[in-house]
Amino acid sequence: MFDILMYLFENYVHSEIELLVDEDELTKELTRAGFHQSAILKALSWLERLAELQEGDTPYLCNHAQHSFRIYTKDEMDKLDVESRGFLLFLEQVKVLSVETREMVIDRVMELDEPALILEDLKWVILMVLFNAPGNESAYEQMEDLIFEQPEGRLHS
């Protein structure tokens, strides 16, 4: 399923080609690209849920204190390793993620059928969430810079 999400993001969203609105046509396109029907349906459902999160009627995404501390469940820790959880905290500290967008990211990660997610895959989920969250254009651009720009020189001496 994650492969399908990446395919859609890279071929439609990130390349600024208009995404096909008709779900049947999109399903046919993905089938021609070699994806299985069951994985296609899961990916489309994942994207629908992401769109629903933007509507803001999910109670746990609202009314968080901006200085709250996130405690991860065992299932979340199984899926997100220490490096990934640290990266989410870093993104909050530098204001790329808000409490709400962090929760959207975690929600979408937990719905992936991957047993665990590596940091590089988490970065793509974050990009997808920020791209779809209204008012987060600047955060999306910052995240793009973090992914695509390689630092010059040594980070540590």
Side-chain angles (χ1 to χ4, degrees):
M1 175 175 77
F2 188 72
D3 292 340
I4 295 171
L5 295 170
M6 289 298 304
Y7 175 88
L8 290 172
F9 193 74
E10 289 176 346
N11 289 298
Y12 292 100
V13 177
H14 205 240
S15 64
E16 298 179 11
I17 297 172
E18 190 171 321
L19 187 62
L20 301 172
V21 179
D22 185 349
E23 191 173 309
D24 291 334
E25 284 298 316
L26 185 55
T27 301
K28 288 177 188 174
E29 166 70 24
L30 292 169
T31 302
R32 284 191 297 272
F35 297 110
H36 296 286
Q37 183 74 21
S38 62
I40 293 169
L41 294 176
K42 285 181 184 177
L44 294 177
S45 175
W46 189 95
L47 289 169
E48 280 180 28
R49 180 71 180 125
L50 176 58
E52 289 170 5
L53 289 176
Q54 309 312 318
E55 296 169 11
D57 43 340
T58 306
Y60 72 88
L61 293 179
C62 304
N63 302 322
H64 284 49
Q66 292 302 314
H67 299 292
S68 62
F69 185 76
R70 179 65 153 84
I71 305 295
Y72 290 87
T73 67
K74 180 181 179 339
D75 290 341
E76 291 168 344
M77 288 191 297
D78 290 343
K79 192 160 282 209
L80 292 165
D81 63 12
V82 172
E83 184 180 29
S84 295
R85 294 189 310 267
F87 187 68
L88 288 172
L89 179 60
F90 165 74
L91 292 178
E92 277 187 85
Q93 291 172 339
V94 297
K95 308 283 190 242
V96 170
L97 289 178
S98 65
V99 172
E100 290 78 15
T101 54
R102 177 201 64 210
E103 290 303 311
M104 289 178 194
V105 168
I106 294 169
D107 180 88
R108 296 297 73 219
V109 164
M110 295 308 294
E111 290 300 316
L112 292 171
D113 54 6
E114 312 292 321
L117 214 61
I118 62 171
L119 181 59
E120 292 307 309
D121 292 344
L122 173 63
K123 290 176 180 179
W124 285 103
V125 172
I126 294 166
L127 263 183
M128 288 181 225
V129 168
L130 291 174
F131 182 83
N132 286 290
N136 286 287
E137 293 79 11
S138 175
Y140 176 83
E141 289 173 11
Q142 287 178 279
M143 190 62 203
E144 261 190 329
D145 291 344
L146 285 172
I147 290 177
F148 297 118
E149 288 185 10
Q150 296 299 322
E152 293 180 21
R154 296 176 64 178
L155 292 177
H156 302 282
S157 49

